[in-house]
Amino acid sequence: DAKTTQPPSMDCAEGRAANLPCNHSTISGNEYVYWYRQIHSQGPQYIIHGLKNNETNEMASLIITEDRKSSTLILPHATLRDTAVYYCIVRADNNAGNMLTFGGGTRLMVKP
Amino acid sequence: DAGVTQSPTHLIKTRGQQVTLRCSPKSGHDTVSWYQQALGQEPQFIFQYYEEEERQRGNFPDRFSGHQFPNYSSELNVNALLLGDSALYLCASTPLLDARTTDTQYFGPGTRLTVL
């Protein structure tokens, strides 16, 4: 699976949008971009994933560049409960049971 | 609809002992993956079970073994515990193959193992 690069930490003001970038310049055509987050000492929580089109769900939006070499996770109105480590993971989605390879992630701190 | 559940929540063992951790997948899920997360580190893949067999394995020694039961629940066994085995052990499940549109894995809350 392709490797991802994320900033180690970011701050965001409560109520503002949090934009978390991820670089995945070696992504292959059959690889999806997945985002998970992990609040302290809890299991990772699935947020969203996409292949090449932008995606939105009740938690977040995922914007993938046209060349697919980078993406941005957007939390439209960050709250204190969004403070967590956010992981961007690239992997094939082919029902072959591919494992998740976590990188260091971005530690997002939402401040009042 | 219950999510992924794991037991116990916490446990403490001493070096050399053996431990068994348990995982019940989310309803409608048939594949179970296990991860180890040391303090301050990211999760590391241990292995994955599908149709009661180990389908994929990460870089972990044979002291780590597992099992999947016909009801899709799973156990992780660790023998001859070392201090370095202290970690949060995470279980993740994936939807049934015939109902699967993605391979999205959903995680349980984890079991915190402390080895003294």
Side-chain angles (χ1 to χ4, degrees):
Chain A
D1 292 331
K3 182 179 172 63
T4 62
T5 303
Q6 299 178 253
S9 64
M10 292 182 62
D11 289 344
C12 178
E14 188 178 19
R16 303 297 293 270
N19 297 287
L20 293 94
C22 180
N23 286 322
H24 30 79
S25 58
T26 60
I27 192 170
S28 300
N30 68 337
E31 289 181 320
Y32 285 69
V33 180
Y34 279 79
W35 283 84
Y36 284 80
R37 73 180 182 184
Q38 188 172 26
I39 297 169
H40 182 64
S41 293
Q42 298 181 20
Q45 178 187 23
Y46 166 75
I47 302 173
I48 199 168
H49 76 286
L51 183 62
K52 51 185 175 182
N53 297 321
N54 298 336
E55 302 288 343
T56 296
N57 62 21
E58 65 280 2
M59 290 183 68
S61 294
L62 174 60
I63 308 298
I64 302 175
T65 58
E66 191 169 346
D67 63 7
R68 302 187 68 237
K69 292 184 177 181
S70 66
S71 61
T72 301
L73 178 74
I74 301 172
L75 308 179
H77 305 287
T79 71
L80 298 179
R81 288 178 295 180
D82 292 322
T83 292
V85 177
Y86 287 77
Y87 295 101
C88 169
I89 300 168
V90 171
R91 51 161 260 184
D93 203 29
N94 55 12
N95 288 328
N98 288 320
M99 64 185 184
L100 293 172
T101 301
F102 289 81
T106 295
R107 185 171 299 276
L108 176 68
M109 180 72 72
V110 180
K111 298 183 175 181
Chain B
D1 179 23
V4 179
T5 60
Q6 293 186 245
S7 63
T9 305
H10 298 84
L11 75 165
I12 299 173
K13 293 285 188 179
T14 57
R15 281 180 298 174
Q17 285 189 311
Q18 179 265 347
V19 68
T20 297
L21 311 181
R22 295 175 177 82
C23 171
S24 291
K26 187 177 170 64
S27 177
H29 290 196
D30 63 349
T31 301
V32 173
S33 303
W34 287 92
Y35 293 79
Q36 179 196 65
Q37 186 174 25
L39 192 62
Q41 302 297 312
E42 64 271 18
Q44 300 285 334
F45 175 75
I46 303 175
F47 43 52
Q48 183 181 84
Y49 276 83
Y50 171 68
E51 292 189 339
E52 302 180 45
E53 292 190 356
E54 184 182 291
R55 175 160 70 172
Q56 202 175 15
R57 189 178 183 94
N59 188 26
F60 278 81
D62 292 344
R63 297 188 297 110
F64 289 78
S65 63
H67 188 77
Q68 186 179 34
F69 299 94
N71 67 352
Y72 308 126
S73 66
S74 176
E75 289 181 349
L76 164 66
N77 300 293
V78 187
N79 293 322
L81 284 167
L82 304 174
L83 296 179
D85 295 331
S86 294
L88 180 68
Y89 287 85
L90 297 160
C91 168
S93 70
T94 311
L96 285 162
L97 180 62
D98 59 359
R100 193 176 299 171
T101 56
T102 75
D103 260 355
T104 300
Q105 296 184 16
Y106 296 87
F107 285 82
T111 293
R112 172 73 60 188
L113 171 66
T114 301
V115 182
L116 301 177

